[in-house]
Structure formats: C-alpha cells, structure tokens
Amino acid sequence: MTATEWQRLRFAGQVAGGVTGAAAGLTVLSAGVLLRQAAEARRIIPMAEAPPPRGDGVYGPKFPGKPLSMVILGDSTAAGYGVHRPRETPGALLATGVSRRLRRPVRLHRLAVVGSMSSGLPYQVDAALEYEPEVAVILVGGNDVTHFSARNAAVRHLADSVRRLRSVGCKVVVGTCPDIGAIQPIKPPLRWLARRWSRQLAAAQTVAVVEAGGRTVSIGDLLGPAFEADPVRMFSSDRFHPSVEGYARAAAVMMPTLMAMLGEDDRAPATGADGVRSLPEAAHEAVRAAGTEVSPAQVDGHERGPAGRWAQLRHHPWFGEPRLWFGHRAASLSFGGGPVRSVPGRSAPSAVGWTPADHQTAVD
C-alpha cells in the first residue's frame, strides 16, 4: 500500500475498530473489514462493458445564429454511463436546456472518459481546445475517491485544467465530487469513510476551481435520499451509476449556474453577509448542501479579505421543496429569496432553471 492508503486505513481502523486517540493505530480486525468491503464493492460494481452513447452534435438546429461550442469533460458520470440514448446523457440534457433558453444552437463535444480520474483531465482539455469551446462542464472526482488517488494531485490537475480553459476565454462550471457513500453496494464502515473522503475532495475542488476562475456546483448527496427511497428508478442496472432520472436531476441543479455563466441569470442577487463567505468557508458549507453554487464575490470592492478570496453561495431553487420529485406537481419554491409559483409544464417567468418540460423530455 502507498503511504496515503496506509494513512487512510489507519484512520479507518480508529473508526471501525471503535478506538480513539492519536496512538490507537490500525487494528487487524478493522483493516480486514475495510479491505473485504472494498473487494466486495469492486466485485458488485461492474467495470464498463460498453461505452455510453456519445451525444455529440448540434442541439437546437432550428434556432438562428452560430452554434455555441460546448464541451463536457470528466468521468463516467459526465459521459452518461448507464443510459442508452444520446439525448439521455448529461451533455445532451444540458445542451438542450441551454439551446432552449438562449434560442441558439449548441454544438456539443463529449470528451469525458469512463473510468477517468482527475489525472486524465489534461488530455481531455488538449482535445477540447481544438474545438475552441465557449463553455465547459466538468464532472469528476468519484474515481479519485474509489481509487485512493492523492487528493492534492487530483485537485491540482483540476485547477490546471480550469485555468487552461479560462485562458482561452472558455467559461467553466464544475460539478464537484459526488458522495460515494450514497452508493448502495458500499456498506458501513467503508461507506462512512467514502462519504468523508468525498466531502474533503469536493471542498478542495471548490477552492481550487474558484481560484482558477470557474464556478462550482455541489453534487454531494444529491441522489442519496432519492436513491434510498426508489433505488430501482434512480439507479441504472449496475446499481452504481445514475439512471435517466438521476442524470436529469443532476442536470437540473447545474443549469442555473451554467446559464449564469452565459450571462442569462434572472435570480435576485444575494445581498448582505448571508450569502458571502471566505472561499474555504463557502467550500465546506457547499459540500453539506447539494445544489449549492460557489462563485467569486467582492466585498466593498475587494476580492479578498483576511481569510482569503471572497465567495458567493447560491442555492438552487428546487431544493427545500416539500415534494419527492421536481416537476410532478405545483409547489411554492424559494427563488432568489422570494416565492415563485411552479406550474406543471411551465417554468417560473423567465426562469433559467430546469423545468418540468425539460424533465419530461429527458425521461420520455
């Protein structure tokens, strides 16, 4: 084992073995439990047998104007592993949503690779730059957790990738590491450790991406409660990757941030100190609430304060609604601090978020 793996297993021993204190060390029993669980999870969760549908092409060709160049990078989640039709993939869902709202065609290039870790992003960026992208979506981190890759190196690869894209004027939105502890084939105590590692990586990703000029959206345990309530519907057949419904939900929470990056943001601006934190504080708060956007901010005209860069927290309007699934019935929701009425089949006036019509198109 590497030094990093040994350090993590030592911590695991303290938790799973029920011992405390810095000198407790790793117990043979706890190490054996965790290693058996890891082996069992790898056996249950299959390797990719076939690549997901690509989804490359022009979306909204009926609209006038030059197509917006959009790329999606990252791992199997970004690629859409687990669905069977191109229009069900995350890239296609987002490209369709952007095209409808801008009333402009969108040319999508899916460069995400099944099984990729953050170390694979530089090669994907190399390919992406050939398409002169105007906007990029990155979903990555899960494989870094399951393969125990070094967090600092993973974050560095992500930050470098964001900087390279921003250097050519490309706008970047990153969906941070999902909560691997929400995956059902992973059992406690390994699940508890996977959740801790996922959140640590997501917080570090948030700091790095915002510093590099991008915005992040917390994926976190976005699918956890829904998966537990209806795993057959929310999981794909491998019980690891999302189903069509799961990918549509992820697209829903990323759409407002994506549109804000493109200059179409009708959300009321957050005012006062409630939505502004130092970047490290914002990052740690975001990982606890899926659907939270973190973006650069200024306080009294300054980008930085005593604790570093200022950051703005924004929460997706669908979250906190008293319903099991968005788009199924009318409900009041908090949108930029005020109530907005949601009507089935329609979005709120001028809303840039995911609408029931978008959802229905995705799952039909």
Side-chain angles (χ1 to χ4, degrees), residues 44-57:
I44 294 173
I45 301 169
M47 296 296 289
E49 296 178 357
R54 291 204 58 84
D56 294 49

Side-chain angles (χ1 to χ4, degrees), residues 322-339:
R323 57 185 177 184
L324 294 178
W325 183 252
F326 62 87
H328 282 187
R329 60 184 174 86
S332 294
L333 52 131
S334 175
F335 196 86

